[in-house]
Amino acid sequence: MPSLDITTTSPSSWKYLSEGGATLVFAYAGPPDERFDQTVLRLRKNSTAVEDEKSITLFQTEIISCLLPQKHLVHMEAVMLSLSWLETVSNLCASSRPAWRTGDIDLKCTSGFLAPNLVSSPISVEIKPKWSFLRPGMRTCRFCMHSSCRGWTTSYCPLDLFSSSPSRMKNALYALYDSWTAGAATQNNFRLFIGGGLVTRNGLLPILQRLGLLHSSIAEENEVRELVVGTLHASLLQPESLTLLKTLNRLQRTLDGVGIEGLASLWDKVYLGKKKFGEGILQPTLNEWKLFVDEYLEHQNSSVSSQAQPDEVHLRYHILSYLLSATFKDCSIMIKLPDLHHNSSPPQITLIDLDSKPIQRLQKWLEQDRNIVYEYTVISRQMLKKECVDDLDRSTDRLYN
């Protein structure tokens, strides 16, 4: 049971900050309180698969921390909630939420998460980079195929952001910024926070001016664009940032060893059509995750071979591997910037949204993946197929040999 009771604070002290598909985030804005100053509260939506808060925190502290440096992870603490308190918070934030967002606060939750406020600095940026690699045999990356099928107005390609080329990385940042200023809010790949609050494209320039974060000579939106992208670019070119991007790319790539189609094929070989894909399998336990990570780390530099006659143990390994890859594909990068003047000090970069993925989504992912590939194939017959550039030389990548 959480020891910290957040219901001792007024619901009005928690201001809506942002949300994703599974959670809403609130920043503390009440009277000085050393327990809650500079913190955010994460509340689960009612559309989220139920998983107890202890399991979620242990997954982060005992599994994710084995794969990523602790300094880039968020410390979370479970806090007590109550029905009446949550109802009040839900009512207070209703007018602040975007109309296109779905799912309300899960009023049945008895606990939530408290974490450091990563947007409390003058300027913070959230980037959800998505898939950072090309799948075998493909010339277009998963994100670019998906964006074409959805009709998204963006030239962003994750492979550019994760490349070793400074110019490609900068082009990716320009694309993210331009999609944001074009109003592509539902894509959710780029968000900007200033003075602790989420800002829109129309409010950026006046807020920067009001807070004194711009030189008096800067008065045009294009100049702000250059400053934001330039500062982000300088931050991501720092050695520590480049190392983190490389690590995230490696985790996404190596954990997605067989892909969702390969996983479905393994499933059919094991169950011979007696079970639908993903049917009747349990969510991994913490101990199972620990054993998997130990095995993965032991063999990450060698190929993951396919057995001639795969068994349930072999299949289970690849299921866990794909689930963990999905976690890293869907995480966000939070970058705290001290100013917009290319400060040479290392930025604070943190990865968030690193929860385990529900095993029940396997069939949904398979169907979604097939739909994207089919729709993109149809679309690309009428236009030039995009060629995304993966820095990895597949001839030296033993995972795919």
Side-chain angles (χ1 to χ4, degrees):
M1 189 70 177
S3 58
L4 194 57
D5 186 358
I6 206 164
T7 63
T8 59
T9 66
S10 169
S12 62
S13 294
W14 296 92
K15 302 300 181 183
Y16 173 85
L17 184 61
S18 64
E19 64 184 282
T23 58
L24 293 96
V25 180
F26 298 81
Y28 183 71
D33 189 324
E34 62 180 11
R35 300 171 302 169
F36 305 113
D37 290 338
Q38 302 297 310
T39 64
V40 295
L41 172 66
R42 195 180 80 163
L43 299 177
R44 189 168 62 205
K45 289 186 178 181
N46 54 18
S47 57
T48 310
V50 175
E51 186 175 9
D52 66 274
E53 276 66 21
K54 183 179 180 181
S55 296
I56 294 173
T57 53
L58 287 175
F59 181 78
Q60 299 247 7
T61 57
E62 299 194 25
I63 305 304
I64 297 298
S65 62
C66 294
L67 302 169
L68 289 167
Q70 187 65 46
K71 61 184 174 182
H72 295 303
L73 301 178
V74 173
H75 171 72
M76 297 192 303
E77 179 182 1
V79 292
M80 286 187 282
L81 304 170
S82 70
L83 173 62
S84 60
W85 195 88
L86 286 173
E87 285 178 331
T88 304
V89 170
S90 181
N91 291 332
L92 288 173
C93 78
S95 60
S96 301
R97 298 181 61 194
W100 53 272
R101 279 296 186 186
T102 59
D104 295 318
I105 294 174
D106 187 349
L107 301 179
K108 300 188 297 297
C109 282
T110 57
S111 59
F113 290 114
L114 201 66
N117 188 342
L118 299 177
V119 301
S120 59
S121 67
I123 303 170
S124 298
V125 175
E126 177 184 356
I127 296 175
K128 190 176 282 290
K130 293 297 187 179
W131 293 36
S132 63
F133 63 96
L134 269 178
R135 294 182 297 182
M138 304 297 288
R139 293 190 301 168
T140 310
C141 78
R142 171 63 153 66
F143 179 86
C144 289
M145 284 195 292
H146 197 189
S147 61
S148 293
C149 295
R150 290 285 186 92
W152 292 341
T153 306
T154 181
S155 60
Y156 169 67
C157 177
L159 275 60
D160 290 336
L161 185 68
F162 284 91
S163 74
S164 57
S165 165
S167 61
R168 287 178 60 197
M169 292 176 70
K170 194 164 192 177
N171 286 339
L173 294 171
Y174 276 129
L176 286 168
Y177 186 89
D178 292 343
S179 295
W180 174 70
T181 56
T186 55
Q187 291 175 31
N188 201 28
N189 295 107
F190 184 93
R191 289 194 285 196
L192 191 60
F193 300 84
I194 298 179
L198 183 65
V199 298
T200 64
R201 57 194 175 104
N202 295 326
L204 178 57
L205 182 57
I207 288 178
L208 288 172
Q209 291 172 331
R210 187 175 74 248
L211 295 178
L213 297 173
L214 285 180
H215 191 275
S216 58
S217 63
I218 297 176
E220 300 293 333
E221 290 185 359
N222 191 56
E223 294 175 304
V224 175
R225 174 181 182 264
E226 293 298 324
L227 272 176
V228 172
V229 171
T231 306
L232 270 177
H233 188 232
S235 298
L236 291 180
L237 286 178
Q238 295 281 338
E240 189 173 291
S241 304
L242 290 173
T243 299
L244 181 60
L245 288 174
K246 183 178 180 180
T247 301
L248 186 57
N249 172 269
R250 175 177 54 80
L251 289 169
Q252 287 188 12
R253 187 189 301 269
T254 57
L255 287 164
D256 188 280
V258 299
I260 193 68
E261 285 286 358
L263 202 57
S265 178
L266 283 175
W267 180 279
D268 290 338
K269 289 177 182 177
V270 171
Y271 293 113
L272 303 173
K274 296 175 183 177
K275 271 184 167 185
K276 292 182 179 179
F277 183 48
E279 182 181 66
I281 48 177
L282 299 175
Q283 189 74 12
T285 64
L286 185 67
N287 188 56
E288 193 176 5
W289 276 122
K290 289 179 181 178
L291 293 173
F292 167 80
V293 169
D294 287 343
E295 185 175 354
Y296 165 76
L297 290 174
E298 183 180 351
H299 299 103
Q300 65 174 315
N301 293 319
S302 62
S303 61
V304 180
S305 61
S306 296
Q307 300 176 3
Q309 293 182 340
D311 57 16
E312 290 189 11
V313 174
H314 180 69
L315 173 63
R316 184 71 173 177
Y317 176 89
H318 282 290
I319 288 176
L320 266 64
S321 188
Y322 190 83
L323 288 176
L324 198 51
S325 176
T327 290
F328 291 117
K329 291 169 187 167
D330 201 40
C331 72
S332 287
I333 302 172
M334 294 297 305
I335 308 168
K336 293 180 73 170
L337 303 173
D339 55 42
L340 286 176
H341 300 287
H342 305 272
N343 193 295
S344 59
S345 61
Q348 181 182 335
I349 297 186
T350 309
L351 295 183
I352 62 171
D353 298 338
L354 288 165
D355 299 343
S356 61
K357 297 296 183 182
I359 206 166
Q360 294 79 12
R361 289 187 186 173
L362 288 174
Q363 180 63 34
K364 177 183 176 182
W365 286 333
L366 177 64
E367 293 171 357
Q368 183 184 53
D369 203 66
R370 287 175 173 173
N371 287 337
I372 289 171
V373 172
Y374 172 76
E375 290 177 22
Y376 185 73
T377 301
V378 173
I379 291 172
S380 62
R381 288 181 187 143
Q382 292 132 22
M383 65 178 195
L384 186 64
K385 185 175 289 188
K386 181 176 181 182
E387 292 200 21
C388 302
V389 180
D390 194 332
D391 274 359
L392 183 67
D393 180 357
R394 290 187 181 266
S395 66
T396 62
D397 181 12
R398 293 193 291 167
L399 180 66
Y400 296 108
N401 286 347

